[in-house]
Amino acid sequence: MNHLLNSMTPASLGYASLMFVSFMAAMFLGTIFLPGKVYASCLQPNNTRKSYKLNGLLLFMITTFSVVAFTLLFHFSLASLSNYFWSLFIVANLFAFTLTGILYVKRRGIKGGDIQQQSLVKIFSDLWFGVELNPTWLGVNLKMFAYQPSLIGLGLLNASFAYVQYEKYSEITLQMWMFQVFWWLYLATHYYYEEFMLSTWDIIAEKFGFMLVWGDLVLVPFFYSIIGWYLVDAIAPMSVSSVVAISLLYLVGLTIFRDANAQKHRFKKNPKVTIWGQPAQALEGKLLISGWWGVGRKLNYSGEICVYLALALTTGFDSIIPYLLPLWLCVLLPHRAWRDEQRCQAKYGNLWDAYCAKVRFRMLPFMY
């Protein structure tokens, strides 16, 4: 990566700015004009429901087929995304800081508040956590929209490593193909089940401040693509047993992750839903104890960690750096699980204690 750091110039930053702004504009316009089904969210903290037009799957598929078509017909290459990686990283950070500032000033202006009278601690807290739950521009909910440039941008960055490898070695290795297929399936299933995002804590209760803005536009695309760097030069053959084992780990993890979230979402929409062939069971009709939620309280997080571990394993064991991503999630997700359970304890009280007694394990059955 050192040569990429050395290649940063005013010209490269200008070109990266053009790429970034054009991409953001394309995502935003696609969100506005592409058709999509309208869904109602879960109850918001003020006991209201918002409506969301969801067209992420169509936007993702159009992006995918456009890249494939331009590559086959016009020899289009995504390698420039890798070449301008650090310039794009700087531009994305500047955009995140600017957007956070605009959201803060706009909301404070609406409230008529005097920013100068706010304490520094209050200003920092409002900038970090946000001051508005659902900021909307031109009819687009910005918090939900941020997932489009975040995840589709991540997909494009990941795909760029395959282009770099092919241009460098005139081949795409099996492990690189695994990396590409794994990520495409992850993103495709996310958008296929995009409605499930409406029942997540981020959408229901988190305000849209720097924490979410930076996480979506910088952390996810630029950190979650770290594994790709180590696959470009990983051209040694991978054994069949390794391919099978890694693929099984990935498929098991993805199945648990998506299916657990699907069960929870379906139950929230209809408590009489069928799960694993049986009517859903819940404590007092509130806390689901069927399916994965009867095995562990946060198995969806366990499945997600398995997915990212499988992605890292495609690089082999020559460097610890690709494993920073699953290691990061091994810290982030247990902490998030703990925070979720603190909120559930405060909300449900003794009923939550009964649920924990019924479903003893959090993320690892018989262990944790």
Side-chain angles (χ1 to χ4, degrees):
M1 292 188 186
N2 290 334
H3 74 284
L4 297 177
L5 284 170
N6 295 333
S7 67
M8 281 195 298
T9 63
S12 71
L13 290 171
Y15 188 64
S17 298
L18 179 62
M19 286 194 291
F20 185 87
V21 172
S22 298
F23 174 68
M24 291 292 293
M27 294 293 103
F28 194 78
L29 292 174
T31 300
I32 293 176
F33 293 110
L34 289 176
K37 187 176 178 180
V38 176
Y39 293 88
S41 71
C42 295
L43 281 176
Q44 304 283 308
N46 60 0
N47 290 322
T48 64
R49 296 181 188 272
K50 286 186 65 66
S51 295
Y52 294 85
K53 184 183 79 171
L54 302 183
N55 53 14
L57 179 61
L58 181 57
L59 190 59
F60 172 69
M61 296 307 295
I62 288 175
T63 303
T64 298
F65 287 122
S66 296
V67 170
V68 172
F70 274 77
T71 300
L72 296 177
L73 297 176
F74 306 107
H75 304 292
F76 172 76
S77 175
L78 287 173
S80 60
L81 293 181
S82 298
N83 297 332
Y84 286 93
F85 184 89
W86 290 110
S87 294
L88 287 167
F89 176 76
I90 291 174
V91 171
N93 272 282
L94 291 174
F95 187 91
F97 278 96
T98 302
L99 178 58
T100 301
I102 291 173
L103 291 169
Y104 176 82
V105 172
K106 178 176 179 289
R107 185 59 178 173
R108 286 302 179 203
I110 292 174
K111 288 184 174 181
D114 186 353
I115 295 175
Q116 294 181 348
Q117 295 179 1
Q118 299 288 326
S119 69
L120 288 176
V121 173
K122 175 63 173 173
I123 291 174
F124 179 81
S125 176
D126 285 347
L127 286 169
W128 180 263
F129 293 107
V131 292
E132 189 172 3
L133 181 62
N134 288 295
T136 301
W137 291 358
L138 299 177
V140 176
N141 182 285
L142 296 185
K143 188 164 57 174
M144 194 66 185
F145 163 73
Y147 286 103
Q148 317 309 6
S150 175
L151 295 177
I152 294 177
L154 170 63
L156 292 174
L157 275 173
N158 284 330
S160 72
F161 297 115
Y163 285 83
V164 172
Q165 186 181 69
Y166 185 79
E167 291 177 7
K168 188 173 183 179
Y169 295 105
S170 298
E171 67 169 325
I172 298 178
T173 61
L174 177 58
Q175 49 266 48
M176 178 63 83
W177 276 117
M178 292 171 65
F179 177 75
Q180 299 300 328
V181 171
F182 287 177
W183 266 118
W184 192 89
L185 285 175
Y186 180 91
L187 296 175
T189 53
H190 165 84
Y191 283 113
Y192 184 78
Y193 296 116
E194 188 178 16
E195 180 192 356
F196 299 167
M197 292 301 301
L198 302 182
S199 62
T200 62
W201 181 258
D202 287 357
I203 298 300
I204 295 172
E206 293 277 21
K207 295 178 180 178
F208 195 52
F210 183 78
M211 181 177 69
L212 290 184
V213 172
W214 189 86
D216 287 337
L217 300 182
V218 181
L219 178 67
V220 169
F222 292 95
F223 178 55
Y224 282 47
S225 62
I226 192 172
I227 295 169
W229 291 107
Y230 291 86
L231 282 174
V232 170
D233 297 313
I235 58 175
M238 179 176 283
S239 68
V240 174
S241 59
S242 295
V243 172
V244 171
I246 294 171
S247 298
L248 284 175
L249 175 64
Y250 174 84
L251 291 174
V252 169
L254 186 66
T255 299
I256 294 174
F257 176 47
R258 296 296 186 209
D259 196 38
N261 287 335
Q263 290 173 357
K264 179 177 68 173
H265 185 79
R266 290 198 298 266
F267 172 75
K268 286 185 176 182
K269 290 189 66 177
N270 177 18
K272 296 181 180 180
V273 70
T274 298
I275 296 178
W276 289 356
Q278 300 292 329
Q281 299 181 29
L283 298 182
E284 296 186 11
K286 298 178 180 179
L287 296 175
L288 182 64
I289 55 173
S290 291
W292 298 111
W293 301 95
V295 179
R297 304 195 296 269
K298 289 296 178 182
L299 285 189
N300 54 328
Y301 291 167
S302 305
E304 190 171 10
I305 290 173
C306 289
V307 166
Y308 286 100
L309 177 59
L311 286 163
L313 284 169
T314 61
T315 68
F317 300 100
D318 291 336
S319 174
I320 188 62
I321 294 179
Y323 292 89
L324 293 179
L325 181 53
L327 288 173
W328 151 257
L329 292 176
C330 283
V331 175
L332 173 70
L333 294 181
H335 181 260
R336 177 176 287 184
W338 176 81
R339 288 192 297 123
D340 289 346
E341 295 203 357
Q342 296 302 303
R343 287 191 287 262
C344 289
Q345 178 69 65
K347 181 177 181 179
Y348 296 108
N350 292 334
L351 183 61
W352 181 254
D353 294 331
Y355 173 69
C356 292
K358 181 75 173 178
V359 185
R360 295 172 49 205
F361 302 102
R362 184 178 287 164
M363 295 178 66
L364 292 175
F366 308 107
M367 296 180 63
Y368 170 70

